[in-house]
Amino acid sequence: MSDESQRVALVTGAARGIGAATALRLAADGLAVAVVDLDEAACASTVEQIVAAGGRALAVGADVADQAQVQAAVERIAAELGAPTVLVNNAGVLRDNLLFKMSVSDWDTVMNVHLRGAFLVTQATQKYMVEQKWGRIVNLSSTSALGNRGQANYAAAKAGMQGFTKTLAIELGPFGITANAVAPGFIVTDMTAATAARVGVDFEEFQKHATAQIPVRRVGTPDDVAHTVSFLASEGAGFVSGQVIYIAGGPRD
Ligand code: NAI
C-alpha cells in the first residue's frame, strides 16, 4: 500500500553496514524505505528493524549491475511502496590488489558495481523524481577517490562517482532534483574488517592504526555517514547540489 504523503527512499547495498544504517536513519526521518541488496533474504534484518520502530520498508533482491534486475526492482518498489524520490547509491565491493597483480575481472567487477550500478539505478529512478519535480540523489564516493595504494580499480570508480554526481546535478537540477556525493574515510563495517583480514592484521589493531592518522582521533561509524546522507536528503538541503562531502574526521582521511 502506498501512502501519497510519505516520501520513498531507495537505498542500495542496504542489507548491512553503511547502507543499513542509512536505511534506518531515513526511516527514522519519516521516509518509507526500499532496502535493496543482492539477496532479498539478507535485507530482512534491516526491514525488521525499520518496521519494529514503526516505519515502512520493503526488502528487494537485485544486482545493481544487472539492467533487467534493476528495472524490475524499481518498478516493484514504485508499485508496492510508492514512487522513489530519494536514492542512495551505496552498494559496493572491493577487489584490492597492486596494479601489476590486478586481474581484468577485478577491475570490471568494481567498475560494474559502483559505476554501472549507480548509472542503472539512477536512470531507472530519475523518472519518478522528474514526474514529481522533486528528488534527492546521494552517491557513495570515498577518500580513496584521491588515490590509494592497492585500489586502482576502486579509486577510479570512486572518483568516477564524483564526476557522475556533478553531471546529475547539472542535468537534473531543473527538475528540482539535487545530487551530491559523500566520501567516507575509515568506517567500521564488514568491508573494512575484510580489508584487515586480507592484509593479515587484527581488526582492533587495524582500527587503532587508522585512529592515530585521523585528526578527530577515532574511526568512523555507519551512523556518521547516515547522518550526512539524512541532511542531503532533507527538504532544507535543496540548494546544495553537485557537492562532495568528505566524512573522514579531517580534511581527507
Ligand atoms: P559492506 O560490504 O558492509 O556493504 C556493502 C553492501 O553492498 C553489502 O550488503 C553487499 O551485499 C551489497 N552489494 C555488493 N554488491 C552489490 C550488487 N552488485 N548489487 C546490490 N548490492 C550489492 O560495505 P560498507 O562498508 O557498508 O560500504 C558501503 C559503501 O560505502 C560502498 O559503496 C563502499 O565502497 C563505501 N565506502 C565504505 C567505506 C568504509 O570504510 N567502510 C569508506 C568509503 C566508502
Side-chain angles (χ1 to χ4, degrees):
M1 274 288 283
S2 72
D3 167 359
E4 293 293 317
S5 64
Q6 188 180 33
R7 292 202 195 283
V8 175
L10 190 172
V11 184
T12 68
R16 67 184 200 193
I18 293 169
T22 299
L24 290 168
R25 175 58 189 261
L26 292 177
D29 291 344
L31 286 86
V33 183
V35 176
V36 178
D37 212 294
L38 281 172
D39 173 19
E40 184 169 321
C43 300
S45 148
T46 309
V47 168
E48 279 161 19
Q49 288 177 70
I50 290 172
V51 171
R56 285 173 70 224
L58 177 70
V60 181
D63 176 350
V64 295
D66 183 305
Q67 189 179 17
Q69 289 185 32
V70 167
Q71 198 57 43
V74 173
E75 282 171 17
R76 185 179 157 212
I77 290 160
E80 293 185 28
L81 212 54
T85 54
V86 172
L87 169 62
V88 184
N89 283 306
N90 165 83
V93 290
L94 294 179
R95 292 289 184 276
D96 294 357
N97 225 327
L98 292 174
L99 180 68
F100 78 103
K101 290 195 281 191
M102 187 173 285
S103 70
V104 172
S105 115
D106 284 349
W107 175 271
D108 288 344
T109 297
V110 169
M111 290 302 148
N112 284 342
V113 176
H114 297 268
L115 288 178
R116 184 183 158 93
F119 161 67
L120 290 175
V121 182
T122 305
Q123 197 178 49
T125 310
Q126 55 80 33
K127 76 166 188 169
Y128 298 101
M129 303 188 197
V130 170
E131 274 167 19
Q132 297 201 10
K133 297 269 183 299
W134 192 92
R136 298 280 186 264
I137 299 168
V138 183
N139 296 321
L140 267 288
S141 179
S142 164
T143 51
S144 293
L146 302 168
N148 201 23
R149 185 178 161 83
Q151 292 194 321
N153 50 1
Y154 186 78
K158 291 307 199 185
M161 291 296 265
Q162 298 190 10
F164 179 61
T165 301
K166 287 168 194 280
T167 303
L168 295 177
I170 293 166
E171 290 190 16
L172 299 176
F175 302 98
I177 302 164
T178 66
N180 292 284
V182 291
F186 190 115
I187 309 295
V188 177
T189 67
D190 290 338
M191 185 179 271
T192 36
T195 300
R198 192 180 61 81
V199 297
V201 179
D202 171 71
F203 194 34
E204 292 296 319
E205 279 307 308
F206 198 62
Q207 291 181 52
K208 226 183 264 176
H209 179 77
T211 298
Q213 323 291 320
I214 298 170
V216 301
R217 293 292 182 268
R218 69 170 177 88
V219 288
T221 66
D223 284 341
D224 287 320
V225 182
H227 190 78
T228 309
V229 175
S230 165
F231 161 70
L232 291 170
S234 69
E235 202 68 50
F239 208 53
V240 181
S241 196
Q243 302 305 303
V244 180
I245 301 182
Y246 284 85
I247 308 170
R252 59 158 295 181
D253 59 8

